[in-house]
Amino acid sequence: MSDMQDTMLLGLEGIKKTILHGGTGDIPKLITGTKVTFHFRTQLCDDERTVIDDSKVAGTPMEIVIGNMFKLDIWETLLSSLRIGEVAEFWCDTIHTGVYPLVSKSMRRIAEGKDPVEWHIHTCGMANMFAYHSLGYDDLDELMKEPKPLYFVLELEYSRDTWALSDEERLKVVPVLHGHGNKLYKQGHYQQATQKYKEAIICIKNVQTKEKAWEAQWLKLEKMANTLTLNYCQCLLRMEEYYEAIEHTTDIINQNPGVMKAFYLRGKAHVEVWNEAEARQDFSRVLDLDPGMKKAVKRELAVLNMRMEEKNQEDKIKYKVARNGDRCKPSPGYPALSLRK
């Protein structure tokens, strides 16, 4: 094999590992109870390397809890050999791939919104696997009838068991989470992006509590947390959670009144809930802090004017309807006139 130097045997029969992209830091200790998030691609060992499943195409990474009786337990072993951010290809013989069709069916049904998450092995479930003729997917039925060796390409995003990490490890995880959050934001997966940002903020806050408030290291961590919180607020705006965005940006402004982006995002949130005076005030502060934002602020003020005009029109219509409604009501003590003959 030409790339033999890249290939490592894991000391297990029927497994070969090839590193496709190196990761960072040491290999995390995946103890029982650790939540691990990773992407996977499953391929046949044919000339075309036919793809059976790909979590990146599905748009959602996989998440398992180590030691929680995940049906495809060989994946725990494979993941335990990866560094954060590492991408590796594992060739696995049929002794390890027999239950894959069953796991794949569960994952596909969850992605289609048809099934609750259920990764535990139940004896009856394993027996039923052989009792039913079809899994509902032709390619999986083929694999079920005739198990084959498979390639698993795994990419470890991170292990979410942050309480088990040292402070140094927590700070190493932050840029990884930040990067994944940004990627998800660009793909339009705002809810998932907020989770990444939140976890990164928790890592920072855990470390920050051990530092002396307002000293250099504390301030450095505060700045990192604020950057992530503002990214989180951008997601909230996309998700139309305007009041929560106002709350978080206000917290940052109260602590650090010089953060231009906090005023800008709060201004945008105020526009959406028709807080005209507050929005104008925030955008004015943006220009004080960064005159280079003039074009962006002009655009936001145009949106504000349009929103206020819409609201005024709506209010006029409501007022008109209310007044007409009052006018049409019969006076007390007199029967309503009927126009019918």
Side-chain angles (χ1 to χ4, degrees), residues 96-127:
H96 303 297
T97 62
V99 293
Y100 183 76
L102 193 69
V103 174
S104 175
K105 177 194 173 179
S106 294
M107 291 188 291
R108 289 181 189 187
R109 286 180 68 80
I110 289 160
E112 291 161 11
K114 291 179 185 169
D115 238 4
V117 178
E118 180 50 90
W119 298 126
H120 293 73
I121 288 179
H122 298 291
T123 315
C124 57
M126 295 301 281

Side-chain angles (χ1 to χ4, degrees), residues 24-26 84 166-177:
T24 56
D26 299 326
I84 287 172
S166 68
D167 287 352
E168 193 185 345
E169 285 169 325
R170 281 194 182 112
L171 292 178
K172 275 184 188 169
V173 166
V174 168
V176 177
L177 291 168

